[in-house]
Amino acid sequence: MSKRTASSNELQDNTSRVVQSKTALESIPSLADGDEDIEMNDGDIGEFEDPYGDDFESEGEIIEVDDEDNEDEDIVNEDFLEQKQQNAQEIVEQDRNQEQDQGKQLYLPHLSKPLGPDEVLEADPTVYEMLHNVNLPWSCMTLDIIPDLLGSERRNYPQSILMTTATQASKKKDNELLVLKMSQLTKTLVKEEEDENDEEEDNEDNDLDPIIENESISLKDTTNRIKISPFAAESPEVLAATMSENGEAYIYDLGPQVKAFTSPGYQIPKTAQKPLHSIRNHGNVEGYGLDWSPLIKTGSILTGDCSGRVYLTQRTASRWVTDKQPFTVGNNKSIEDIQWSRAEMTVFATCGVDGHIRIWDTRSKKHKPALSVMVSDTDVNVMSWNEKIGYLLASGDDSGTWGVWDLRQFSAQNTEKTTPVAQYNFHKAAITSISFNPLDESIIAVASEDNTVTLWDLSVEADDEEIKQQTAETAELQQIPPQLLFVHWQRDVKDVKWHRQIPGCLVSTGTDGLNIWKTISV
């Protein structure tokens, strides 16, 4: 988990206390009454002395008296100074311990106070197996991973990732679709002291500098969402779909851009800079809903807009065709997310601002939902269909609550009574992205506007003996759900995706750029 450092105000307060202690020490001599008495006695003796008397004896007597008094006073002053120095050292030590305690404070969105203007969060390098930050010219609100041919279950370092994202430039004409290849992504885990001498060969690889290669396509507008076809690795085509702010959806072939990374000297044709197909059925109505079918290899895509309409676009032998009649309930409420079923070729789900999850069948001639279930009193922003357990669907809403639903409990009779199989209100701001781990049906990633991405293991039971022991030993854990695995901090995080070929690896995007990370927890 991330750590909070001490604020500058606290450091200034601590410094002022230390300076005050030192000032007190400097003023100690002026507070000793004995020195003033000695000077006054010296003056009195000098005034009443016979100026013609024996100077040696007089001076000797004075010196002898002063020596005796000074020895006593020096002993008193030394003890006083020693005590003051000891007190000051204790204050300094207390301040140092307080700073260290604050520096190691865990940041939890549901418990910690908001960050101050001078506060920053630092990642704990001992809990990240890999953590790389990528700065981009403009912030991006969406991303997706491009499958490659380097194999699956990749656990050795350095790693390589292909991905795509789209910018949110201040001027619409400056927006771009970015295709990125990031290679030599080294292991960044900081080991404990006793393990520093292990795996010396790995340390050589960790000295490599990451390499970023980029190909771009100019866009006319801001992109709300981007999705890569799940069959991109099986064909020279790398189909990508985007949903734009201007209401249009575009389908691109990013194959030439990907080829340019592996073929030196390859010239990307000009036709590759333009979309294969544009979906204009939404008019000028902005949209966020977008998903490729994971079962139709020829290409089938759903797009949803803010007026509550969903259009189906399919690829024929010669062209792309969009149905003229949309799927809609006619309430003019925005469709926020769309998910195709991972098990049934004609079934998909939608969620929106009316708080409903709806299940649809593309074979329906009426283009109406088969089931509509109220799952939230506010906007439902995102969904994720479990790839290994086809009846589990996760959703997150505007209040920061997210849950997992058993679709077997959905029916026309209990549309207002369905309860989730798991639900958490850990986050304190809107959920912006949610994603089941494609390699582990019990692991899920959740991104929120509270600047965090959390990882959860739904297989953990609250009555587990190890969990009970950890909770008893650490007070903070008593207020944390036992299913929570990890909290990753990223400013204004908007999207998070798992990498299917690198177990446990995630890529997230926010206003501070891209984070590529893998924890020791997953």
Side-chain angles (χ1 to χ4, degrees), residues 5-293:
T5 58
S7 66
S8 60
N9 292 333
E10 291 170 339
L11 293 176
Q12 290 173 1
D13 292 341
N14 294 337
T15 304
S16 65
R17 287 197 290 270
V18 175
V19 171
Q20 186 176 0
S21 301
K22 291 181 179 178
T23 305
L25 291 175
E26 293 171 356
S27 63
I28 288 174
S30 64
L31 298 177
D33 296 336
D35 286 348
E36 294 180 2
D37 293 339
I38 290 172
E39 291 176 2
M40 291 175 66
N41 291 338
D42 288 347
D44 293 342
I45 293 173
E47 288 178 6
F48 293 100
E49 267 189 332
D50 184 357
Y52 302 103
D54 189 347
D55 292 340
F56 179 79
E57 290 182 359
S58 297
E59 290 176 2
E61 290 175 1
I62 295 172
I63 292 172
E64 184 177 353
V65 171
D66 284 347
D67 285 346
E68 291 177 356
D69 292 343
N70 283 335
E71 286 178 2
D72 294 339
E73 296 298 333
D74 287 344
I75 293 173
V76 173
N77 288 338
E78 287 177 2
D79 292 342
F80 186 72
L81 282 170
E82 184 178 353
Q83 183 64 37
K84 281 293 185 181
Q85 290 173 345
Q86 184 178 353
N87 293 341
Q89 185 63 33
E90 290 177 356
I91 294 175
V92 172
E93 190 66 26
Q94 290 176 359
D95 291 342
R96 184 180 295 115
N97 293 336
Q98 184 178 2
E99 292 176 10
Q100 291 177 353
D101 291 341
Q102 291 175 344
K104 294 181 180 179
Q105 181 181 349
L106 298 177
Y107 178 81
L108 299 171
H110 73 310
L111 293 178
S112 304
K113 65 179 182 180
L115 295 180
D118 299 322
E119 287 184 312
V120 295
L121 289 177
E122 295 180 352
D124 183 350
T126 65
V127 297
Y128 285 92
E129 190 170 302
M130 176 176 66
L131 176 59
H132 296 281
N133 303 320
V134 181
N135 294 322
L136 298 174
W138 300 102
S139 60
C140 304
M141 67 181 297
T142 181
L143 67 91
D144 206 358
I145 308 296
I146 300 175
D148 56 43
L149 301 177
L150 300 179
S152 58
E153 294 288 329
R154 304 204 301 262
R155 300 181 185 274
N156 297 327
Y157 292 89
Q159 295 283 6
S160 178
I161 291 177
L162 281 174
M163 62 162 292
T164 183
T165 186
T167 62
Q168 277 191 305
S170 59
K171 297 181 180 179
K172 292 184 177 182
K173 65 181 182 63
D174 294 333
N175 279 301
E176 294 180 313
L177 186 155
L178 304 177
V179 183
L180 304 174
K181 180 184 178 182
M182 291 169 283
S183 55
Q184 292 187 186
L185 299 175
T186 58
K187 191 174 185 176
T188 59
L189 177 66
V190 175
K191 298 182 179 180
E192 301 294 337
E193 294 181 359
E194 59 268 19
D195 297 332
E196 288 182 353
N197 296 326
D198 295 345
E199 301 182 10
E200 295 181 358
E201 296 181 359
D202 290 344
N203 292 336
E204 296 179 0
D205 292 335
N206 292 344
D207 294 334
L208 298 173
D209 292 328
I211 298 175
I212 301 178
E213 300 172 74
N214 170 45
E215 295 291 345
S216 62
I217 297 175
S218 297
L219 300 177
K220 299 178 181 179
D221 213 321
T222 300
T223 298
N224 292 336
R225 193 156 288 169
I226 189 168
K227 290 285 185 74
I228 294 292
S229 167
F231 302 104
E234 302 176 12
S235 168
E237 284 186 324
V238 180
L239 295 180
T242 65
M243 195 68 187
S244 299
E245 201 173 72
N246 62 6
E248 295 186 359
Y250 304 103
I251 298 175
Y252 292 90
D253 177 13
L254 304 182
Q257 283 77 11
V258 173
K259 184 178 180 180
F261 296 139
T262 57
S263 303
Y266 174 75
Q267 294 294 324
I268 299 175
K270 292 183 178 179
T271 55
Q273 301 291 329
K274 298 180 180 180
L276 297 176
H277 181 69
S278 299
I279 303 172
R280 297 187 171 92
N281 298 58
H282 298 279
N284 59 354
V285 181
E286 182 180 9
Y288 294 89
L290 179 69
D291 199 28
W292 288 96
S293 169

Side-chain angles (χ1 to χ4, degrees), residues 274-324:
K274 298 180 180 180
L276 297 176
H277 181 69
S278 299
I279 303 172
R280 297 187 171 92
N281 298 58
H282 298 279
N284 59 354
V285 181
E286 182 180 9
Y288 294 89
L290 179 69
D291 199 28
W292 288 96
S293 169
L295 302 175
I296 303 175
K297 293 186 177 182
T298 55
S300 184
I301 187 170
L302 291 164
T303 54
D305 61 35
C306 293
S307 66
R309 297 173 299 168
V310 177
Y311 284 94
L312 172 64
T313 302
Q314 300 183 84
R315 192 182 201 178
T316 66
S318 59
R319 61 195 181 100
W320 296 87
V321 178
T322 302
D323 290 350
K324 294 182 179 180

Side-chain angles (χ1 to χ4, degrees), residues 26 32 47 156 178 243 285 359 384 388 431 445 475 480 488 514:
E26 293 171 356
E47 288 178 6
N156 297 327
L178 304 177
M243 195 68 187
V285 181
I359 308 299
S384 177
K388 294 183 176 294
I431 305 299
I480 299 176
H488 172 78
L514 301 172

